[in-house]
Amino acid sequence: EAETETVGALVVNPASYAAAHPAGGSLAALRGRAVAAGPGGDVPSRGTVRVRLPEADLGWLPVVAATGETMSGGASLLLPPGLAPPALLAASPTRAFVSIEDGADPAAVRAELAAIGEVSDLDGWLTADAAARSSTNDKVMVMVLGLGGLYALIGVVNSVVIGAAARRREFAEARVTGLTRGQVARSALLESFGVTVAGLALGAVAAAATYVAVLTTTAAVTGSATLDVPWSLVAGVAGLTLVVTSVTSLVTSWSATHRAPVALLAAHE
């Protein structure tokens, strides 16, 4: 049974690729009409695969090497020079890793390379590459979280409205004791604010377990514990929650206290 996979392919210089990725295994056999399984997975480490490029059908090619899958992914198929059509390569992006010899001036090397193309240091390139790889996942995640957050927000608003509407007599008793309508509304606002803060704190505690798992996993796989928290999104969600619950509490408590407290208490005698 044949299976078709759409994967990314990378034309590499086998010796240079092995030098830049020393943990990836030997690519000495990658030449002629042979291919290698790249770090992105989806390609068997042995056997043959039929490769179709956007402008050429390369036919059945043997898989002679494998670099092993990596956590960050990458190209699923590695091709040797001369196998892909030159016209396709001319329209494709090119990336080169440059090592600076001891004693060389990094600024001078960077200036000379800038005449060929865009230059970036390793940390900058890794940051940009990670952002590009996670862009699609982030958009999908935001859509999913947006729908879940909307339903949760509706539930929160309903809870605040129902809770305040059921306290009409309590509000009336507070006003009879001397509190003004505004003071009753402010006390309900303070209660709502406290409950919301407590809910956000409990949510943070629940999320902390996931953060610990992420730190443990990245430390085991890469040797360095890594966690990138979207603080702007967290702050936005927390701020929106506080605003919505506060406004809902004010509107509901103000509406629940519009009747004279004596009339409301008399109705319950």
Side-chain angles (χ1 to χ4, degrees):
E1 180 180 357
E3 295 184 1
T4 301
E5 295 282 350
T6 301
V7 300
L10 186 66
V11 178
V12 301
N13 181 303
S16 298
Y17 187 91
H21 306 78
S26 175
L27 296 179
L30 183 60
R31 58 181 181 272
R33 288 185 54 81
V35 297
D42 299 322
V43 174
S45 58
R46 287 293 182 268
T48 58
V49 293
R50 184 170 184 176
V51 180
R52 293 188 181 93
L53 300 178
E55 298 179 4
D57 186 350
L58 303 182
W60 290 93
L61 304 175
V63 181
V64 297
T67 61
E69 296 185 33
T70 62
M71 185 176 182
S72 60
S76 297
L77 191 67
L78 302 182
L79 307 178
L83 187 58
L88 179 60
L89 294 180
S92 301
T94 302
R95 180 171 62 246
F97 294 93
V98 178
S99 299
I100 301 178
E101 295 181 349
D102 294 338
D105 183 8
V109 174
R110 187 185 186 99
E112 292 188 19
L113 293 176
I116 303 174
E118 183 181 355
V119 183
S120 174
D121 59 20
L122 184 59
D123 290 340
W125 178 81
L126 288 173
T127 300
D129 182 66
R133 291 176 185 275
S134 63
S135 176
T136 301
N137 290 336
D138 289 346
K139 292 176 181 177
V140 173
M141 186 62 67
V142 167
M143 292 179 62
V144 174
L145 291 178
L147 292 174
L150 179 60
Y151 286 119
L153 190 62
I154 294 174
V156 169
V157 172
N158 284 339
S159 299
V160 174
V161 171
I162 294 172
R167 301 173 64 189
R168 294 178 183 271
R169 182 177 176 83
E170 179 184 341
F171 291 157
E173 292 174 348
R175 294 181 63 189
V176 168
T177 60
L179 294 181
T180 65
R181 188 179 181 188
Q183 289 174 328
V184 172
R186 285 195 296 271
S187 64
L189 172 63
L190 184 60
E191 292 175 3
S192 176
F193 186 86
V195 171
T196 303
V197 171
L200 292 173
L202 291 175
V205 171
T210 302
Y211 295 159
V212 171
V214 171
L215 291 172
T216 303
T217 302
T218 53
V221 174
T222 67
S224 177
T226 304
L227 177 64
D228 185 11
V229 180
W231 292 112
S232 57
L233 179 60
V234 173
V237 170
L240 178 62
T241 304
L242 289 171
V243 170
V244 170
T245 54
S246 298
V247 171
T248 305
S249 177
L250 278 176
V251 172
T252 308
S253 60
W254 191 259
S255 175
T257 55
H258 76 281
R259 294 181 58 185
V262 175
L264 187 60
L265 293 174
H268 289 81
E269 289 296 338

